[in-house]
Amino acid sequence: SAVISQKPSRDICQRGTSLTIQCQVDSQVTMMFWYRQQPGQSLTLIATANQGSEATYESGFVIDKFPISRPNLTFSTLTVSNMSPEDSSIYLCGARPTVGEQFFGPGTRLTVL
Amino acid sequence: GENVEQHPSTLSVQEGDSAVIKCTYSDSASNYFPWYKQELGKRPQLIIDIRSNVGEKKDQRIAVTLNKTAKHFSLHITETQPEDSAVYFCAAWGRTNFGNEKLTFGTGTRLTIIP
């Protein structure tokens, strides 16, 4: 299984500002993903981070709000832009090192005041 | 795109008894079905998975069954223990309307083991 780390683990931010979350995998992976999880709810896919090309966003999520980078096969960033209190959530990075299996980072708990 | 439904949303079981969680999916092309356990404040952990060419898979006290014809799969936990208390998510791996691949998650089941 892949070991996935995320930074920061948590942050409290003011509305209107932006936060960049980093995800590092200990081995090269084909696919990386970004999810949002509201308290007590399931995981919602924000986008698939594609290495060498633009991320693929799910319905309801746009690049201007959630720009994503993936400069190589082990690293990705998600930026939450122009934050509002509605963006308060846990953001999880996912990675798929082999066919099928997908693992998650520890998550970033974001609170927007 | 894929739609995954999960039942029940909450489940309380006496310690030592069995627990069963059921999921249905909509896309017959989905071919991989993992189950995740998420403890409070922790990341989802993959506990077992099954591929579309297999009907059942076991790992100690945990088993998963898949019925491709009916498009449903289930998680079975036997001899439950207090540490089994967590939220469990089923998921289905398939293609989106945009042609890319992704996991679609069920809504989760909060399992409580009563000592």
Side-chain angles (χ1 to χ4, degrees), chain B residues 3-93:
Chain B
N3 182 48
V4 177
E5 295 189 359
Q6 182 172 347
H7 300 281
S9 57
T10 61
L11 179 61
S12 294
V13 174
Q14 289 286 339
E15 182 178 355
D17 288 350
S18 296
V20 180
I21 303 170
K22 299 183 179 182
C23 289
T24 60
Y25 62 99
S26 60
D27 187 354
S28 57
S30 291
N31 55 19
Y32 173 70
F33 307 91
W35 286 87
Y36 291 86
K37 174 184 180 182
Q38 188 175 32
E39 297 176 74
L40 189 63
K42 302 276 185 70
R43 75 186 82 189
Q45 295 274 12
L46 179 67
I47 57 172
I48 195 167
D49 56 14
I50 191 166
R51 301 183 190 277
S52 58
N53 58 347
V54 176
E56 183 176 359
K57 182 177 178 181
K58 284 185 180 180
D59 183 2
Q60 300 183 337
R61 297 186 298 109
I62 295 173
V64 58
T65 58
L66 171 65
N67 183 327
K68 284 213 70 180
T69 303
K71 289 190 280 188
H72 66 71
F73 56 113
S74 300
L75 177 71
H76 305 253
I77 306 174
T78 59
E79 301 172 17
T80 53
Q81 301 169 2
E83 53 264 37
D84 295 329
S85 294
V87 178
Y88 291 80
F89 293 99
C90 64
W93 181 268

Side-chain angles (χ1 to χ4, degrees), chain A residues 45-66:
Chain A
L45 181 65
I46 296 171
T48 301
N50 302 307
Q51 196 270 328
S53 64
E54 203 167 274
T56 305
Y57 289 83
E58 297 298 304
S59 177
F61 298 96
V62 294
I63 187 171
D64 289 347
K65 176 68 175 177
F66 298 102

Side-chain angles (χ1 to χ4, degrees), chain A:
Chain A
S1 64
V3 176
I4 306 172
S5 59
Q6 274 184 244
K7 288 195 299 186
S9 59
R10 59 177 61 223
D11 207 341
I12 300 172
C13 301
Q14 296 295 321
R15 70 171 66 211
T17 63
S18 297
L19 175 71
T20 296
I21 303 168
Q22 299 180 4
C23 177
Q24 179 74 54
V25 189
D26 69 340
S27 57
Q28 293 185 344
V29 294
T30 307
M31 304 178 81
M32 294 181 74
F33 304 90
W34 287 98
Y35 292 83
R36 184 168 72 184
Q37 187 176 30
Q38 308 280 22
Q41 301 205 7
S42 187
L43 289 82
T44 300
L45 181 65
I46 296 171
T48 301
N50 302 307
Q51 196 270 328
S53 64
E54 203 167 274
T56 305
Y57 289 83
E58 297 298 304
S59 177
F61 298 96
V62 294
I63 187 171
D64 289 347
K65 176 68 175 177
F66 298 102
I68 287 171
S69 78
R70 182 147 182 221
N72 56 51
L73 292 175
T74 64
F75 185 78
S76 179
T77 67
L78 168 75
T79 299
V80 186
S81 303
N82 188 24
M83 289 184 285
S84 66
E86 293 72 38
D87 295 320
S88 297
S89 188
I90 296 172
Y91 292 85
L92 290 152
C93 170
R96 188 190 183 202
T98 61
V99 174
E101 295 177 350
Q102 181 169 317
F103 301 96
F104 290 91
T108 296
R109 182 179 294 272
L110 172 61
T111 302
V112 184
L113 303 177

